């Protein structure tokens, strides 16, 4: 088995597999992504921590295109934990094979989410737990998602639904069992979590930023009726179907759609009209993103029923796009983030028509404000700064309590 794993690891490292995403995923499933004893010092005692997140084991940060901010987040979390002098183990959040490998280990802390995180808590293998929340409270997610399914069936009784429930990473047990939570969401979404976790530290999502981009508003005059949906899996959850139905009633406007997974396109395509255009996936760090996404749209939309913070919104904001979102999308209110009054088709129509009344000069000003707000709040450096405040504060506090109880 060991020889087989080593062989597969050598295959993963090959250039051929690096260019084949499916091949990489299959190989990773076989060999796992577990890393142990990062920053371990054999000459002194260290506290141990397990990170149940996404493992960076097979990620080349110089070469690989990062389509999701989670990979940047885990890098900075590890950096912060190294500075706090932890001996660190890390694995993918739902890799129960990794949990079996780590079954004999005991930890001072576990941080993250998912099945591995929960199993560590249930087996009492960690003294303290830090839930890293990138989604809304599971019971809220379930309720809101059922509403959206019902609303879809009401509008399209004869069309199939690709059911993609948001229960892969979080369940209620994780909230009930955790000592503390770092929550990537708005104050509005966080309120429902306080029933289960008293100690909550909010944090902002980090965006993906294309360094080749230069702020420019020259396209706004010709594109002010062009709107963008920039998402990923869970399109029904994110309200894309509602946006498409609304734009059918707005033939003079355009909705450009990026990020729909292949398995969800089959229920999205029957909804499309001439002015709702489904595009192929685009790399944020490419010139295509600047030319075809940023310079062709003015607004970015989300009608999500429940999010942590939809990262695509932050990514678009730092490139000057103006967001219009539902309250549940996970962003705190500010002057450059607009909100739909509700999630139904009529709510979308009302807000789109209101935005059409804004003058070009106003849109240019708001676009600049969006970029500045995103620079202040959504860069990876901001995420790093927040983590360097949150983790030492909580860990030093819990270490102090632990030392006092030992003295007694």
């Amino acid at each position: 088995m060991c020889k087989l794993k080593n062989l597969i690891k050598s295959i993963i490292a090959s250039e051929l597999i690096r260019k084949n995403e499916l091949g990489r995923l299959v190989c990773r499933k076989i060999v796992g992504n577990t890393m142990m004893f990062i920053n371990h010092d054999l000459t002194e005692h260290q506290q141990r921590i397990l990170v149940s997140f996404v493992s960076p084991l097979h990620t080349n940060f110089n070469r690989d295109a990062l389509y999701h901010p989670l990979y940047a987040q885990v890098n900075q979390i590890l950096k912060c934990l190294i500075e706090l002098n932890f001996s660190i183990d890390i694995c993918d959040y739902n890799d129960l094979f990794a949990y079996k490998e780590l079954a004999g280990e005991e930890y001072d802390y576990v941080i993250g989410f998912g099945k591995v995180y929960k199993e560590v808590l249930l087996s009492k293998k960690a003294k303290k737990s830090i839930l890293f929340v990138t989604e809304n409270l599971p019971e809220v997610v379930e309720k809101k998602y059922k509403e959206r399914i019902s609303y879809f069936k009401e509008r399209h009784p004869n069309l199939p639904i690709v059911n993609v429930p948001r229960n892969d990473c979080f369940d209620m047990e994780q909230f009930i069992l955790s000592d503390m939570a770092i929550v990537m969401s708005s104050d509005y979404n966080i309120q429902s979590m306080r029933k289960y976790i008293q100690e909550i530290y909010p944090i902002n999502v980090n965006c993906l930023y294309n360094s080749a981009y230069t702020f420019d508003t020259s396209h706004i005059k010709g594109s002010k009726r062009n709107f963008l949906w920039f998402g990923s899996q869970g399109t029904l959850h994110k309200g894309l179907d509602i946006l498409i139905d609304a734009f059918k009633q707005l033939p003079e406007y355009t909705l450009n759609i990026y990020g729909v997974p292949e398995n969800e396109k089959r229920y999205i395509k029957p909804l499309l009209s001439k002015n709702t255009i489904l595009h192929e996936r685009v790399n944020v760090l490419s010139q295509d993103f600047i030319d075809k996404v940023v310079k062709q749209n003015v607004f970015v939309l989300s009608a999500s029923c429940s999010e942590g913070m939809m990262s695509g919104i932050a990514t678009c904001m730092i490139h000057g796009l103006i967001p219009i979102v539902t309250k549940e999308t996970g962003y705190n209110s500010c002057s450059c983030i607009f909100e739909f009054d509700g999630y139904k088709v009529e709510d979308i129509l009302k807000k789109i028509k209101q935005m059409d009344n804004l003058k070009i000069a106003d849109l240019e000003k708001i676009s600049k404000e969006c970029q500045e707000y995103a620079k202040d709040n959504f860069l990876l450096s901001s995420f790093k700064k927040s983590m360097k405040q949150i983790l030492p504060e909580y860990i030093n506090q819990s270490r102090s309590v632990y030392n006092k109880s030992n003295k007694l």
Side-chain angles (χ1 to χ4, degrees):
M1 183 65 179
C2 184
K3 288 182 179 180
L4 178 60
K5 279 194 172 186
N6 289 334
L7 174 62
I8 295 170
K9 284 180 181 178
S10 68
I11 294 171
I12 291 172
S14 72
E15 192 65 26
L16 179 64
I17 291 295
R18 279 192 171 278
K19 292 179 179 178
N20 187 311
E21 185 175 357
L22 178 59
R24 291 203 315 270
L25 288 173
V26 170
C27 290
R28 289 175 189 180
K29 286 292 183 184
I30 297 171
V31 302
N33 277 348
T34 304
M35 303 168 70
M36 294 182 68
F37 296 106
I38 300 169
N39 194 50
H40 192 69
D41 188 340
L42 293 171
T43 68
E44 65 175 66
H45 171 74
Q46 292 170 287
Q47 287 194 307
R48 295 196 66 198
I49 188 166
L50 173 64
V51 181
S52 173
F53 210 80
V54 291
S55 171
L57 178 59
H58 302 292
T59 302
N60 184 321
F61 287 100
N62 283 332
R63 186 165 52 189
D64 294 347
L66 301 180
Y67 286 99
H68 200 287
L70 275 176
Y71 293 96
Q73 290 165 21
V74 72
N75 185 77
Q76 297 312 127
I77 290 171
L78 290 174
K79 179 75 166 60
C80 189
L81 293 173
I82 288 169
E83 291 175 2
L84 289 166
N85 198 33
F86 275 100
S87 174
I88 308 160
D89 293 352
I90 182 168
C91 67
D92 284 333
Y93 58 94
N94 279 347
D95 185 357
L96 290 181
F97 179 77
Y99 175 71
K100 290 177 182 177
E101 282 190 294
L102 300 170
E105 306 297 323
E106 293 192 358
Y107 299 96
D108 296 284
Y109 295 87
V110 58
I111 181 172
F113 52 84
K115 293 176 183 176
V116 175
Y117 177 88
K118 184 171 76 169
E119 287 299 321
V120 168
L121 297 187
L122 290 172
S123 60
K124 302 188 185 301
K125 293 290 186 180
K127 295 172 186 174
K128 286 286 184 180
S129 54
I130 303 169
L131 184 62
F132 192 92
V133 184
T134 60
E135 181 58 88
N136 208 340
L137 190 70
E139 63 184 19
V140 174
V141 173
E142 184 180 3
K143 177 185 175 184
K144 296 286 186 180
Y145 188 55
K146 283 180 179 178
E147 290 176 355
R148 294 305 179 88
I149 290 175
S150 176
Y151 188 46
F152 182 90
K153 289 178 178 177
E154 176 187 323
R155 296 175 354 260
H156 303 287
N158 298 319
L159 289 181
I161 292 177
V162 176
N163 190 12
V164 186
R166 302 281 284 229
N167 57 8
D168 187 49
C169 300
F170 299 94
D171 59 29
M172 285 307 302
E173 273 190 286
Q174 293 176 52
F175 284 80
I176 293 166
L177 294 168
S178 295
D179 297 311
M180 185 270 265
I182 300 171
V183 182
M184 190 175 283
S185 195
S186 62
D187 296 337
Y188 174 80
N189 283 346
I190 285 173
Q191 288 310 310
S192 61
M193 302 177 193
R194 295 194 183 279
K195 176 182 175 183
Y196 301 97
I197 304 177
Q198 297 302 309
E199 196 162 2
I200 292 179
Y201 294 79
I203 194 169
N204 284 323
V205 71
N206 57 293
C207 63
L208 296 177
Y209 180 58
N210 189 325
S211 59
Y213 170 72
T214 301
F215 181 78
D216 181 19
T217 58
S218 60
H219 68 288
I220 287 181
K221 184 176 181 180
S223 303
K224 69 170 292 191
R225 288 188 169 181
N226 289 358
F227 293 73
L228 170 70
W229 185 89
F230 197 71
S232 57
Q233 66 178 3
T235 46
L236 184 67
H237 177 98
K238 289 181 167 69
L240 176 57
D241 58 299
I242 300 170
L243 295 175
I244 291 172
D245 284 351
F247 273 77
K248 282 179 185 174
Q249 300 183 41
L250 298 166
E252 66 274 31
Y253 297 75
T254 299
L255 177 65
N256 289 303
I257 302 164
Y258 286 85
V260 177
E262 288 299 322
N263 67 317
E264 296 183 47
K265 285 181 180 179
R266 60 192 172 98
Y267 97 82
I268 287 295
K269 285 181 178 178
L271 302 176
L272 297 174
S273 54
K274 288 183 179 180
N275 65 327
T276 54
I277 305 164
L278 191 61
H279 298 271
E280 292 302 313
R281 194 180 190 188
V282 64
N283 180 358
V284 171
L285 305 185
S286 69
Q287 188 61 38
D288 273 354
F289 175 74
I290 296 172
D291 295 338
K292 297 179 181 179
V293 179
V294 176
K295 291 185 178 180
Q296 298 296 322
N297 299 282
V298 175
F299 301 93
V300 58
L301 307 179
S302 171
S304 179
C305 69
S306 182
E307 295 281 340
M309 292 178 80
M310 189 171 165
S311 59
I313 298 296
T315 291
C316 290
M317 283 183 70
I318 203 162
H319 296 95
L321 276 78
I322 301 168
I324 312 174
V325 301
T326 50
K327 203 172 187 68
E328 292 81 7
T329 298
Y331 285 80
N332 286 320
S333 297
C334 77
S335 58
C336 63
I337 298 178
F338 296 86
E339 287 183 2
F340 296 113
D341 293 334
Y343 68 86
K344 297 198 172 180
V345 169
E346 54 267 29
D347 300 310
I348 309 302
L349 293 171
K350 178 182 175 183
K351 181 58 70 174
I352 298 297
K353 290 174 181 178
Q354 285 177 353
M355 302 306 289
D356 199 39
N357 293 326
L358 291 172
K359 297 177 180 178
I360 300 300
D362 293 330
L363 293 174
E364 291 174 342
K365 181 180 177 182
I366 296 167
S367 175
K368 183 60 177 175
E369 189 180 347
C370 283
Q371 193 202 36
E372 293 300 324
Y373 184 85
K375 280 185 175 180
D376 290 342
N377 293 279
F378 304 141
L379 284 175
L380 187 60
S381 55
S382 299
F383 178 85
K384 173 186 173 182
K385 182 180 178 181
S386 295
M387 290 302 298
K388 290 187 72 170
Q389 291 172 342
I390 293 168
L391 284 178
E393 180 180 334
Y394 177 72
I395 286 166
N396 290 334
Q397 171 189 316
S398 58
R399 279 174 176 171
S400 175
V401 171
Y402 176 75
N403 290 336
K404 284 180 182 177
S405 64
N406 275 355
K407 287 178 182 179
L408 293 174

